[in-house]
Amino acid sequence: MNKAHPLHGSNKLKLGVFSTNADGGLAISDVPERWTASWQDNLTAARIADRAGLEFMLPIARWRGFGGRNKVRERSFETFTWAAALSMATDRIGLFMTVHVPLVHPLYAAKALATVDHISQGRAGLNIVCGWNPKEFGMFGTPLVEKGYDQAAEWIEILEKLYASAEPLDYEGTYYHLKEAVSRPASLQVPRPVTMNAAFGGPGRDFAAAHCDYLFTTFSEMADAGKHVADISERADKVGRQVGVYTVAHVVCRPTMEEAQAYYNRYAVDLADHEAVDAHMAGKKEFSQSHDPHAYDRYRQRFAGGAGTYPLVGTPQTIVAEMAAIAEHGYQGIALSFVNYTQELPYFCDHVLPLLRQAGLRG
């Protein structure tokens, strides 16, 4: 049975909700209304997004936080369990799981992923990441892998072979050694659920080009957005594949530009958790390749506001214009974060989605 995933739908610009499973979402702020990631709030946010016709919910995988007064992102829900539970509370929306390859064995991942795909009737998705935070890996007694995407290539190969093989699987690789391995049932989606990878550096993008359906990437300036799409398209062409490109943004949508900018300054400048922002930026700058190098020096507010992602700050009209420009650069979708999802998603859905339909970006 090959189910059509929501990311394969007809909307020109797909939209999703990012990081509701983690304390603070993507914002690093002391505002009283900051996201606490309670289960009830996750449930409410997913139902709002599902009813509005958004295509996906995408969690982050965090095992420890970045300190500061709020110990930001220290509290988060594990993503397989989170997706399984939300699949029973929603009808249409795609539900992703984010997995650190070195911390989760592919045999376990294959079983858990297929379980969620069956529960959700073909709405499961897999976000494959290799990790960058040595403190998180230290919690497991596991060092960062020098060639993490080489390991990821074996990991996804094993998962696909487990689903496809009618016989027990023997596998001898550099990172994995399996004897008579089986994983049943296979996923409803064939050959496996929709996959994505969030990569900025060359090795990660080569992995996405060879093994994933979609790449998530950041950009700092709208003028540079298109070069990332061209880069992944070129890499995919070399291996005879097509890979869709998505990006990530944090949203402040208000009736007036003045209200939007005032709130953005309030939560991401005046009430930013500066200790946690410093720790987050320093760790990413040293160990991650997820942003343009100059972003750390020029866009501190963006790290407090949304983990260094692109800001969509303004009225519904200005935000739709920005989204249209992103789509014009070749991006197929955007994952969105808010300071408080349950408070802000309804206004966004009521006022932005109709304008996107008028612009021909959504049906």
Side-chain angles (χ1 to χ4, degrees):
M1 180 181 182
N2 196 359
K3 300 283 287 186
H5 192 276
L7 261 64
H8 299 323
S10 60
N11 285 331
K12 181 178 179 181
L13 185 68
K14 312 295 194 300
L15 296 175
V17 181
F18 187 31
S19 193
T20 66
N21 69 309
D23 176 60
L26 290 188
I28 306 178
S29 176
D30 287 334
V31 288
E33 65 274 18
R34 68 185 296 275
W35 187 247
T36 60
S38 71
W39 173 246
Q40 187 57 51
D41 281 346
N42 269 268
L43 197 60
T44 300
R47 285 170 168 163
I48 293 169
D50 189 43
R51 287 195 300 267
L54 301 192
E55 279 81 8
F56 63 97
M57 299 284 292
L58 175 63
I60 62 171
R62 279 273 76 83
W63 300 99
R64 65 179 298 144
F66 300 105
R69 287 180 293 276
N70 298 303
K71 297 182 179 179
V72 65
R73 296 188 207 132
E74 184 169 293
R75 184 183 188 277
S76 67
F77 289 121
E78 186 278 322
T79 65
F80 282 110
T81 316
W82 174 89
L86 288 182
S87 71
M88 292 299 294
T90 54
D91 297 317
R92 298 178 296 175
I93 198 164
L95 297 158
F96 276 84
M97 289 137 276
T98 300
V99 181
H100 282 114
V101 163
L103 304 181
V104 180
H105 194 280
L107 185 58
Y108 177 88
K111 177 73 77 174
L113 179 62
T115 300
V116 177
D117 206 37
H118 281 258
I119 294 170
S120 66
Q121 286 295 292
R123 292 183 285 135
L126 182 66
N127 179 26
I128 304 168
V129 297
C130 290
W132 60 269
N133 190 338
K135 290 185 177 180
E136 286 192 320
F137 278 58
M139 291 170 59
F140 290 84
T142 301
L144 286 169
V145 178
E146 183 177 353
K147 295 183 178 180
Y149 285 105
D150 289 349
Q151 181 180 10
E154 286 191 10
W155 192 95
I156 190 64
E157 180 185 20
I158 291 168
L159 187 142
E160 291 179 347
K161 285 185 174 182
L162 286 166
Y163 289 160
S165 178
E167 301 297 329
L169 174 69
D170 288 343
Y171 186 92
E172 282 295 325
T174 301
Y175 300 93
Y176 298 104
H177 310 277
L178 280 68
K179 283 289 187 184
E180 298 187 351
V182 295
S183 183
R184 289 289 180 267
S187 61
L188 293 180
Q189 296 174 71
V190 178
R192 40 95 182 117
V194 166
T195 57
M196 67 172 66
N197 170 246
F200 197 87
R205 290 189 172 186
D206 285 339
F207 168 79
H211 298 285
C212 296
D213 301 307
Y214 301 98
L215 171 80
F216 266 75
T217 190
T218 59
F219 60 85
S220 296
E221 304 290 349
M222 187 68 77
D224 296 331
K227 72 180 184 182
H228 300 292
V229 178
D231 177 62
I232 190 62
S233 297
E234 182 180 348
R235 294 173 191 268
D237 283 343
K238 290 179 180 178
V239 291
R241 300 185 72 246
Q242 291 184 330
V243 176
V245 185
Y246 280 56
T247 192
V248 187
H250 54 287
V251 180
V252 180
C253 186
R254 298 292 187 272
T256 69
M257 180 63 78
E258 291 75 17
E259 289 175 90
Q261 195 60 57
Y263 186 69
Y264 190 36
N265 288 335
R266 177 174 180 263
Y267 91 83
V269 178
D270 299 338
L271 293 179
D273 186 342
H274 293 289
E275 181 182 345
V277 173
D278 288 339
H280 180 251
M281 289 178 64
K284 281 227 158 184
K285 189 173 184 179
E286 183 175 0
F287 298 108
S288 171
Q289 293 183 325
S290 58
H291 299 279
D292 291 310
H294 68 268
Y296 299 99
D297 300 318
R298 293 171 60 182
Y299 296 120
R300 179 183 177 86
Q301 184 176 6
R302 295 185 184 184
F303 282 89
T309 61
Y310 190 79
L312 294 173
V313 178
T315 65
Q317 292 79 10
T318 58
I319 286 176
V320 168
E322 290 265 86
M323 287 182 161
I326 290 170
E328 190 66 26
H329 281 298
Y331 289 84
Q332 295 181 9
I334 310 173
L336 307 169
S337 71
F338 300 82
V339 172
N340 187 297
Y341 299 85
T342 58
Q343 293 178 11
E344 297 178 75
L345 257 179
Y347 183 82
F348 176 89
C349 292
D350 288 345
H351 292 84
V352 173
L353 295 186
L355 296 178
L356 288 170
R357 287 193 286 270
Q358 292 176 22
L361 294 171
R362 295 181 66 81

